[in-house]
Amino acid sequence: MMENKMIYNGKPVPVLLEPGFFPFRVKRELEKVFDPIQKGIDRIINIVLERNKTNATEKGLEEAFSLIRETITLTPEERGLMKIYCGSERNVCIYRLDLYLNGGFQILEFNSDSAGGIIEADIQTKLFLQLSTIRKLKIPYILEEAEGARLVLNALLESKYGSKKEGYRPTICLTDWRDVESRKEQENLIKYFQNAGYNALFVDPRDFEYR
């Protein structure tokens, strides 16, 4: 963790090696649950920004949509920022659902457009798989990493180019405050993107010129 500068308050991020192992069958089942949630949140954002008002009127849902817009209030500045076209038809490009096991999966919260511990999990997974005790285990399974950084890269490319993402090498810009400690995770993501052959950079939102 020190080598990758995953440090908070001058100390490496605490590591509790209590891994979870999931077969591909469970992974596919989770994806079936996650996909409708992402699409539903995308739809709510469109409602708040009044992007599908005509559709709503035709279906007799304008009253329900108005209630959603009243519930989710935005300042004029926030509404202006959200209306800036980001080059993708999807409002939610990357996200992470926090889950916990309690006889099954239960969702705690939805985190959007943030690395949110993905790189930390990648680093800890590598550390775990490199442990001599794990390498000596003789188990009838193939252990694979989730590779969160790769999933983030694929999600960003698919949100922009869809299924035709192969061959494109766009410049990737990650934004965060330069003076927060979570910046280290963004920098590690940038390093991953650069090693994968993409031009990637980190920019503080205060350095943007809004037009």
Side-chain angles (χ1 to χ4, degrees):
M1 301 302 282
M2 294 290 286
E3 287 177 3
N4 288 278
K5 299 181 180 179
M6 301 305 297
I7 304 167
Y8 293 86
N9 293 324
K11 298 179 181 179
V13 177
V15 177
L16 175 61
L17 291 176
E18 190 178 346
F21 298 99
F22 305 103
F24 285 108
R25 172 183 54 80
V26 173
K27 177 177 178 291
R28 287 192 294 270
E29 289 175 357
L30 287 173
E31 288 172 349
K32 290 179 182 178
V33 174
F34 295 168
D35 187 52
I37 292 175
Q38 179 266 321
K39 289 180 179 177
I41 291 178
D42 243 22
R43 183 163 169 76
I44 289 174
I45 293 172
N46 285 333
I47 292 169
V48 172
L49 296 179
E50 301 180 333
R51 288 176 177 156
N52 52 1
K53 191 170 183 177
T54 304
N55 244 6
T57 305
E58 289 176 357
K59 296 179 180 179
L61 296 174
E62 184 56 31
E63 185 177 344
F65 286 8
S66 295
L67 181 60
I68 291 175
R69 284 193 285 269
E70 290 171 10
T71 304
I72 304 175
T73 57
L74 297 171
T75 66
E77 292 79 11
E78 289 170 333
R79 188 174 292 274
L81 284 174
M82 288 187 69
K83 285 189 174 181
I84 295 174
Y85 180 63
C86 64
S88 169
E89 297 304 319
R90 285 168 49 181
N91 298 304
V92 179
C93 294
I94 61 172
Y95 64 92
R96 188 197 76 226
L97 286 172
D98 284 351
L99 308 170
Y100 74 95
L101 292 169
N102 185 21
F105 293 100
Q106 291 190 326
I107 298 174
L108 295 176
E109 63 181 3
F110 184 98
N111 296 280
S112 174
D113 298 325
S114 170
I118 292 173
I119 286 291
E120 293 172 13
D122 278 359
I123 294 171
Q124 292 181 19
T125 300
K126 291 182 186 299
L127 290 172
F128 176 79
L129 293 177
Q130 290 170 5
L131 292 175
S132 59
T133 51
I134 298 301
R135 293 203 303 266
K136 291 176 183 177
L137 284 177
K138 294 183 179 179
I139 55 177
Y141 303 104
I142 298 174
L143 298 180
E144 294 186 356
E145 302 173 41
E147 295 185 286
R150 178 182 59 81
L151 294 175
V152 170
L153 177 59
N154 285 343
L156 291 174
L157 294 175
E158 286 177 6
S159 71
K160 175 70 175 176
Y161 303 109
S163 60
K164 300 178 181 179
K165 64 180 185 298
E166 299 301 329
Y168 286 96
R169 284 290 184 273
T171 295
I172 301 174
C173 175
L174 299 183
T175 64
D176 201 351
W177 311 114
R178 71 173 67 90
D179 44 6
V180 295
E181 294 189 350
S182 59
R183 172 181 174 176
K184 298 299 181 184
E185 183 167 21
Q186 305 281 24
E187 290 177 344
N188 276 295
L189 262 179
I190 287 173
K191 188 187 301 182
Y192 177 87
F193 296 156
Q194 291 173 339
N195 290 338
Y198 295 83
N199 181 32
L201 64 156
F202 175 94
V203 179
D204 187 301
R206 292 166 290 193
D207 295 334
F208 279 113
E209 179 181 340
Y210 296 96
R211 300 180 180 180

